[in-house]
Amino acid sequence: MKNSILSLASALLFVVSANAQKVEFEEYKLDNGMHVILHQDKSAPVIITSVMYGVGGKDGSRERTGFAHFFEHLLFEGTENIGRGEWMKIVSSNGGRMSGTTSQDRTYYYEVFPSNKLELGLWMESERLLHPIIKQEGVDTQNEIVKEEKRERTRAYSNILAEISKNIFKVHPYKDPNVGYMEHLDAATLEEFLAFNKKYYVPNNATLVVAGDIDFTSAKKMIKDYFGPIPRGADVVRNFPKEKPITKEFRATSYDENIQIPAVVAAYRTPSFKARDSKVLDMISTYLSGGKSSVLYKKMVDTKKQALAVQAVNVSQQDYGIYALFSLPLGKVTLDELVKEMDEEIVKIQTNLISERAFQKIQNQFENRYVNSNSSVVGIANSLARYHVMYGDTNLINSEIDIYRSVTREEIRAVAKKYLNTNQRLILEYLPKKK
């Protein structure tokens, strides 16, 4: 009976995903190199204006880390035509909301407005690009805000990814935290901030997405009017050093005064998220820890009661990824025992094909994510920008699910064998720091 129910659920989900509306979009370039993507959705009187820049924590001098994250704050300071501190007031007074985020690979800004405010959103984003005010007063203010933000990052285990990256990357700039080091920001001069802006905040390093209740003809005219006159910048050229393969397990220890329970991580360096193998690793992590019925949770938390938590995660990035197995011990269980238990499940995947039932469950989970990811205009805008800037293929918003659908059980076994071996990893002990 359970198998029948599962088969019925799978069939229903397939029908839903097969009939999920394809995301239609139009894309083109302005003469200055800015990439533009338009998506129309008239289901609600809402629009989003967003710009994704190809600049993140990995960019810039290694003596001045954290500039991209700093600029995420700094470029809300104001422009020649938007007074200092007025950005948020303009957005909120016009019924909108806004945000900005930075990763190691990109920076993203957006505003959501009622659809009759499209011109306002375009003007504001063009102002950010063309007329930013970068003065010492604003730099000093944002420096204090970034410091306070860093001081407030006291959530337990929130710094663990930075510690993994610091150890697993030796030469690539992913080794440095996305937010940078405060001593670098403290030492930076105004001229260095101006140079960073000139290099990376140029139209040919930016993708504009306008989505929602829009008319393409009028939107294109406004985009040309506001962004067309912005001069092209020099092409951004990157030549990051390459990492040597990890061929022998190594260990590291980090301390965190905000935790009381130690943690252990087995981390593996993996390929770019552009690689098909990265998609397969996504599926392996879902198989291992995607919910309370997953393999590692059922074994280590429910049945053996060895762990308070266990998780497998594929951290996808543009140049390299990190595959990490994470666990917190329960009672007197040692960290090495947790690693042993996690390793056993990896070996099973490397040795045997996962069951058809488990494989179908994974497929269902990815189909569901696909449907949900395209369920809002804000999510669609983000995906359109990300697939173009990070992958160079905007239509992945529609076609990426086909890659997951095409993965086989044999491929899952082969990828686990290729990347998740004990001689290719870091074992990180993440311990409470004595106060």
Side-chain angles (χ1 to χ4, degrees):
M1 182 64 179
K2 286 184 179 179
N3 285 334
S4 298
I5 293 172
L6 179 64
S7 299
L8 177 60
S10 301
L12 289 173
L13 186 57
F14 177 78
V15 170
V16 170
S17 60
N19 292 313
Q21 186 173 0
K22 179 183 177 182
V23 177
E24 301 288 349
F25 61 89
E26 182 178 333
E27 58 184 335
Y28 61 97
K29 277 189 184 294
L30 298 178
D31 291 341
N32 57 16
M34 177 173 243
H35 196 85
V36 180
I37 305 172
L38 304 178
H39 166 71
Q40 187 183 72
D41 180 350
K42 291 186 171 292
S43 61
V46 173
I47 57 97
I48 177 170
T49 54
S50 65
V51 182
M52 185 173 286
Y53 294 89
V55 58
K58 70 183 180 186
D59 292 299
S61 166
R62 292 303 91 189
E63 299 302 315
R64 293 292 182 266
T65 59
F67 266 36
H69 174 256
F70 191 88
F71 265 76
E72 178 203 318
H73 292 265
L74 185 62
L75 293 186
F76 280 110
E77 272 282 310
T79 74
E80 291 179 11
N81 298 300
I82 299 175
R84 188 163 182 260
E86 292 296 310
W87 195 289
M88 184 177 293
K89 293 178 183 178
I90 293 173
V91 172
S92 60
S93 66
N94 283 277
R97 57 189 174 91
M98 66 180 200
S99 191
T101 63
T102 309
S103 74
Q104 287 280 21
D105 298 312
R106 94 295 180 272
T107 304
Y108 186 58
Y109 301 90
Y110 71 86
E111 293 83 25
V112 181
F113 281 117
S115 55
N116 62 349
K117 300 295 181 181
L118 172 59
E119 187 168 8
L120 175 63
L122 292 172
W123 172 71
M124 294 184 77
E125 284 301 334
S126 68
E127 276 291 301
R128 192 198 309 274
L129 186 55
L130 185 59
H131 297 130
I133 297 294
I134 301 175
K135 294 184 177 180
Q136 194 62 51
E137 180 184 18
V139 168
D140 292 342
T141 298
Q142 296 305 323
N143 203 10
E144 289 305 312
I145 291 173
V146 170
K147 285 180 180 179
E148 184 60 29
E149 180 183 277
K150 196 163 186 176
R151 282 192 288 266
E152 290 177 354
R153 290 189 179 204
T154 57
R155 184 168 52 87
Y157 310 101
S158 61
N159 199 43
I160 199 164
L161 179 58
E163 292 299 314
I164 296 169
S165 299
K166 181 175 73 175
N167 285 284
I168 209 165
F169 296 110
K170 306 301 181 183
V171 295
H172 191 281
Y174 285 158
K175 64 185 174 61
D176 299 316
N178 185 42
V179 297
Y181 301 103
M182 290 314 306
E183 58 267 29
H184 290 180
L185 295 174
D186 286 340
T189 65
L190 181 61
E191 288 70 26
E192 287 173 316
F193 286 111
L194 290 167
F196 189 89
N197 182 76
K198 183 179 179 180
K199 181 175 183 178
Y200 294 106
Y201 281 84
V202 291
N204 45 301
N205 193 43
T207 293
L208 169 69
V209 178
V210 181
D213 184 14
I214 61 171
D215 172 77
F216 276 24
T217 301
S218 60
K220 286 180 179 179
K221 183 182 185 306
M222 284 186 274
I223 290 167
K224 184 177 180 180
D225 289 345
Y226 284 110
F227 292 92
I230 302 175
R232 182 186 182 96
D235 290 341
V236 176
V237 178
R238 296 178 174 86
N239 187 24
F240 297 129
K242 301 293 190 295
E243 293 285 344
K244 293 180 179 179
I246 299 170
T247 57
K248 183 179 179 181
E249 179 182 285
F250 65 103
R251 289 179 171 256
T253 304
S254 296
Y255 298 92
D256 188 338
E257 64 183 10
N258 298 307
I259 66 172
Q260 296 180 330
I261 299 170
V264 67
V265 177
Y268 308 78
R269 196 189 305 137
T270 53
S272 162
F273 51 43
K274 295 181 181 180
R276 179 181 174 89
D277 286 352
S278 181
K279 305 290 190 294
V280 181
L281 288 165
D282 285 340
M283 300 185 84
I284 293 173
S285 64
T286 298
Y287 170 74
L288 288 172
S289 69
K292 292 186 177 181
S293 62
S294 61
V295 170
L296 288 177
Y297 190 94
K298 284 175 66 177
K299 173 187 176 182
M300 297 174 65
V301 178
D302 277 353
T303 304
K304 291 192 173 183
K305 303 193 185 307
Q306 297 168 308
L308 288 168
V310 62
Q311 187 175 9
V313 59
N314 186 36
V315 182
S316 298
Q317 298 177 120
Q318 193 171 34
D319 299 333
Y320 295 98
I322 296 171
Y323 194 90
L325 298 164
F326 165 88
S327 189
L328 301 176
L330 179 62
K332 296 182 179 180
V333 176
T334 68
L335 299 183
D336 284 342
E337 286 176 298
L338 294 178
V339 173
K340 178 176 177 292
E341 295 291 345
M342 293 188 290
D343 281 349
E344 283 183 0
E345 298 310 313
I346 295 296
V347 170
K348 288 179 184 178
I349 300 174
Q350 293 172 329
T351 307
N352 305 304
L353 297 179
I354 66 172
S355 71
E356 283 281 7
R357 180 185 178 87
F359 181 64
Q360 186 59 60
K361 178 184 173 184
I362 299 169
Q363 290 284 2
N364 292 347
Q365 288 172 299
F366 277 85
E367 295 281 358
N368 190 52
R369 291 179 197 174
Y370 166 64
V371 173
N372 289 337
S373 67
N374 293 344
S375 63
S376 73
V377 69
V378 174
I380 288 173
N382 187 309
S383 293
L384 288 168
R386 177 169 54 87
Y387 284 124
H388 174 72
V389 175
M390 298 287 93
Y391 294 81
D393 182 1
T394 312
N395 195 52
L396 278 171
I397 194 171
N398 295 310
S399 63
E400 186 181 50
I401 186 61
D402 294 328
I403 302 174
Y404 288 109
R405 287 170 179 160
S406 69
V407 171
T408 65
R409 294 189 297 153
E410 289 79 8
E411 200 170 1
I412 287 174
R413 180 175 62 186
V415 168
K417 282 183 179 180
K418 185 175 181 180
Y419 298 104
L420 306 182
N421 299 302
T422 57
N423 67 318
Q424 296 172 291
R425 72 183 182 185
L426 156 72
I427 298 294
L428 175 69
E429 294 189 355
Y430 196 74
L431 307 178
K433 185 176 182 179
K434 294 181 180 180
K435 298 181 180 181

